[in-house]
Amino acid sequence: MWLKTYLIITGVGALVALTMPWLVIIGSFLIIPGLILASMPTAFIYGVAFALFRLLIGSFLSGVPLNVMSGAATLALFWTIPQPGLAWARGMLASLKEPDIQASAPIALKGDILLARPFEGRCDALCAALLKTPGVTSVRVQTLRGHSNTYRVVPGSTPGKRSTVIGHGLLEERRYDASDPLAPQRALEAEWNLMMSEGKALLQSDDAPEPDFTIAIEDGPAVPDSKPRPGGVDWSLEPSAPHRKALTITDAGEQVLLRQSILSIFAPAAPLLIGTSGRIENFRFGWARRRLGDGRMYAGVPVNRLLLDHTSVSRGVNMEAAKTRTREELARALDDPRKPVSDPTFALANQWMDSFRANDQPLGESDRRLLVRILEDPRVRSSDGLWAIIKQVDGDSADLRRLAARRYLAAPDKKEARHWINALAGLPVGAYADPLPEERAILADPAVSRFATGLIKRQGDRGVDAVPDLLRLLREYSVYDPGKYGFSDLTAATDAVRSGFRRIGPAASFAGSEIEQLLASPGLEYRYKTLGQEEWDTLLVVLGKPVETLTKPENRSGTDASYRERVAQRAAKPYDPRRD
């Protein structure tokens, strides 16, 4: 009777799990229900086998011996079924295994290098490091599909197709610096740009010189052109195709100088079980598999570490020396009006400005002068590092604000140029107390101001004098057509107005009623109710609206009381530009 009950329960559970696997996913959030439901298919097939063995040997045994023998026979059956596949998998791994080889001395890379790998045909960090290695003349990057590009660093006057890198070199392991974790990468980029500024260019061609050294990186099937076995992966008792991860370095004579590899294969587990695989979108059941081979699950070959330890590949950079040279070359380029905008030296501006990220000292006078020259020179096209250096500016900053505003006004594409003016929102408190004519010109036109969110936020420095301008902007943004001007851009602009009012605080309470009316207008209602009601309600409470009159947004959990308490707590906190 107990066995019949067991089979009914596990059979129904197995049917539910196999036909509706999404229930297993839901149950997994509660842990125990998910584990129970996922185990039902295995429990059922083991129960069926147990019942069959009881039936077969029931005429010879009974009671406890019958159950013990039936259980042992069931385990033996499910242990035996996957053994042929496991034996085949072990034999395949043994036949494919190649011994690891460690170089007895550092490998002096030189000449033409073939970099063969299953991904990325562009010149990345490893390609750049090889090109910077003394003695290396070219790097041919070849992917599995046979496509290849050959890269060379040549004099700038050399004819041919120019290219760019997507990485700048390899770094040796060093202690993590939380204050400026990107400093080593920034120094590598500066070193590369300095090399390019010395009359060099990166040339890309499709020729294929005979390699003096081959660096082969593998991460794929160990047997070429292997395909999935018939019967599918989930319910097939055959092992999967073997997988190899490896780094191999050979010379022109194809002698292996260095090799490290990891071989693996997946085969049905013993004893045989029904397991799960996939993610939420493709969750499914199948025979549970175990990994056979080298290393642990997800183990990888440390390619960069092996190259740095066993070859002469260029590594690291003297960060202080790179910073000093970056500043010198950048200043020299800014002094030379003959240098074209395409000169790579001007890209050094980003590395130099970003190098102040971890600096806690006010900007020195000479560095401030260089910053002014960067802002006023249109040949510096990117403002990426401006956010870092502007935080170190102390004292009067009207000249910097004026240059940034002029640059923004002169730009034909305001969206692309917005960072030049928005980065200056990091200036000290009170920096925008006296508006400049150029800033007034930006705020006067909503089509121009909607991207200058940093400038709008800092209008709060003016106190109540800024209220008319902020109200006017909010009115103008409320009647803009999101389809014409971009919904996200307008949302950012209205949020900047809110931040400006929040900076002013209770002194702007006389504007509260009009703000509330504008938030109910068709142009702002959705942004208020769906995207930022708590933030706007916090502002309204700061401006004097009774918190008891607030109602919780429909898309928020909790009660009206908890919502009001949260808003009241936020409104009681001092203004924080990162939060408000």
Side-chain angles (χ1 to χ4, degrees):
M1 182 65 183
W2 64 268
L3 182 56
K4 184 176 181 180
T5 302
Y6 172 87
L7 289 175
I8 291 173
I9 293 174
T10 56
V12 172
L15 179 65
V16 170
L18 293 172
T19 58
M20 294 181 285
W22 51 270
L23 286 177
V24 180
I25 298 174
I26 295 175
S28 66
F29 290 108
L30 302 175
I31 303 176
I32 301 299
L35 291 175
I36 292 175
L37 194 56
S39 66
M40 285 295 174
T42 298
F44 178 67
I45 63 169
Y46 272 66
V48 170
F50 179 80
L52 290 174
F53 280 118
R54 284 185 93 252
L55 186 63
L56 290 173
I57 60 178
S59 56
F60 306 103
L61 298 172
S62 62
V64 173
L66 173 61
N67 292 334
V68 171
M69 288 299 297
S70 298
T74 300
L75 288 175
L77 172 66
F78 287 106
W79 182 270
T80 304
I81 289 173
Q83 292 306 319
L86 288 170
W88 183 92
R90 293 189 179 99
M92 176 61 73
L93 289 175
S95 67
L96 294 173
K97 182 64 178 176
E98 296 176 321
D100 288 350
I101 297 175
Q102 295 291 336
S104 57
I107 302 169
L109 300 173
K110 60 183 178 179
D112 298 307
I113 308 294
L114 171 60
L115 178 57
R117 55 190 179 187
F119 53 87
E120 192 54 73
R122 293 175 294 176
C123 191
D124 64 352
L126 174 54
C127 168
L130 291 168
L131 287 171
K132 291 190 294 183
T133 303
V136 171
T137 55
S138 74
V139 176
R140 178 158 63 101
V141 182
Q142 179 176 293
T143 62
L144 273 179
R145 297 179 179 179
H147 177 73
S148 68
N149 291 314
T150 300
Y151 298 92
R152 296 178 176 87
V153 174
V154 298
S157 58
T158 305
K161 181 182 178 181
R162 287 340 191 228
S163 186
T164 57
V165 293
I166 58 172
H168 301 91
L170 300 182
L171 288 168
E172 294 185 294
E173 292 182 4
R174 61 180 70 212
R175 193 170 67 178
Y176 179 78
D177 183 1
S179 64
D180 192 4
L182 298 179
Q185 291 292 345
R186 189 173 57 243
L188 277 179
E189 186 176 357
E191 181 188 53
W192 181 268
N193 288 333
L194 283 166
M195 183 175 68
M196 293 294 104
S197 70
E198 296 171 346
K200 301 289 180 65
L202 179 64
L203 206 65
Q204 175 184 332
S205 63
D206 56 4
D207 63 318
E210 284 297 318
D212 295 295
F213 291 90
T214 298
I215 300 174
I217 302 171
E218 298 177 68
D219 188 356
V223 179
D225 301 322
S226 61
K227 297 179 180 179
R229 301 184 180 279
V233 174
D234 291 338
W235 294 106
S236 172
L237 290 174
E238 296 180 337
S240 64
H243 188 96
R244 186 199 304 275
K245 297 179 181 179
L247 169 67
T248 306
I249 301 179
T250 56
D251 60 15
E254 298 186 0
Q255 178 184 355
V256 177
L257 306 177
L258 182 145
R259 178 168 57 216
Q260 182 169 319
S261 64
I262 296 175
L263 270 173
S264 63
I265 195 170
F266 285 87
L272 196 63
L273 302 170
I274 296 178
T276 60
S277 62
R279 292 175 286 192
I280 291 178
E281 68 274 12
N282 61 351
F283 186 80
R284 59 195 181 276
F285 283 89
W287 297 123
R289 294 175 177 269
R290 59 173 293 195
R291 179 184 181 276
L292 303 176
D294 306 318
R296 297 180 178 180
M297 181 75 78
Y298 309 120
V301 175
V303 172
N304 290 352
R305 181 74 269 153
L306 290 170
L307 290 171
L308 290 170
D309 288 346
H310 299 288
T311 74
S312 62
V313 66
S314 173
R315 79 272 323 275
V317 62
N318 185 324
M319 290 192 291
E320 286 303 317
K323 181 178 178 180
T324 301
R325 282 197 61 210
T326 295
R327 193 190 189 289
E328 293 172 351
E329 293 299 324
L330 176 60
R332 191 175 294 115
L334 292 169
D335 284 339
D336 187 355
R338 298 169 299 176
K339 281 190 177 293
V341 67
S342 59
D343 193 293
T345 311
F346 296 111
L348 295 171
N350 284 330
Q351 285 89 60
W352 178 74
M353 291 189 292
D354 203 43
S355 68
F356 288 85
R357 185 185 297 269
N359 190 4
D360 57 358
Q361 299 297 321
L363 200 64
E365 188 57 34
S366 61
D367 288 332
R368 198 181 191 284
R369 287 195 298 268
L370 184 57
L371 176 59
V372 168
R373 293 163 64 192
I374 290 173
L375 286 170
E376 64 187 4
D377 197 319
R379 292 174 296 178
V380 180
R381 306 296 294 273
S382 176
S383 61
D384 289 347
L386 188 56
W387 302 90
I389 193 172
I390 210 67
K391 295 177 181 179
Q392 314 305 326
V393 174
D394 197 12
D396 183 30
S397 57
D399 56 337
L400 302 177
R401 290 163 47 209
R402 182 175 291 106
L403 289 170
R406 288 176 178 175
R407 183 156 192 156
Y408 178 75
L409 285 169
D413 187 340
K414 297 293 187 288
K415 187 170 185 176
E416 184 179 354
R418 66 182 185 264
H419 299 303
W420 285 105
I421 193 161
N422 290 338
L424 272 69
L427 287 169
V429 175
Y432 286 81
D434 297 317
L436 301 172
E438 293 84 357
E439 293 170 345
R440 290 189 182 277
I442 293 172
L443 296 174
D445 186 347
V448 175
S449 66
R450 63 194 176 97
F451 294 118
T453 53
L455 175 61
I456 296 172
K457 291 177 182 179
R458 293 305 301 269
Q459 293 310 294
D461 286 7
R462 297 165 54 196
V464 294
D465 291 342
V467 171
D469 285 331
L470 293 174
L471 281 175
R472 174 180 53 79
L473 289 172
L474 197 58
R475 291 189 210 105
E476 292 167 338
Y477 295 151
S478 70
V479 297
Y480 263 36
D481 177 8
K484 181 179 179 181
Y485 292 98
F487 186 85
S488 60
D489 296 332
L490 279 179
T491 301
T494 54
D495 288 347
V497 172
R498 186 193 69 232
S499 182
F501 275 116
R502 184 69 174 84
R503 187 185 288 266
I504 298 172
S509 58
F510 61 91
S513 59
E514 184 172 355
I515 292 174
E516 199 164 359
Q517 291 173 7
L518 289 170
L519 291 176
S521 66
L524 296 180
E525 185 181 24
Y526 178 78
R527 290 186 178 86
Y528 167 59
K529 290 187 175 181
T530 306
L531 301 179
Q533 182 167 342
E534 183 172 330
E535 290 77 12
W536 281 104
D537 281 347
T538 300
L539 171 63
L540 293 174
V541 170
V542 169
L543 299 182
K545 182 175 181 177
V547 71
E548 297 80 12
T549 62
L550 300 179
T551 56
K552 179 186 68 67
E554 295 180 358
N555 60 351
R556 292 293 184 91
S557 59
T559 63
D560 285 344
S562 62
Y563 176 73
R564 291 165 185 159
E565 181 181 358
R566 187 164 63 248
V567 170
Q569 290 174 351
R570 290 188 61 174
K573 294 179 180 178
Y575 171 78
D576 184 343
R578 294 169 298 180
R579 182 188 65 237
D580 303 314

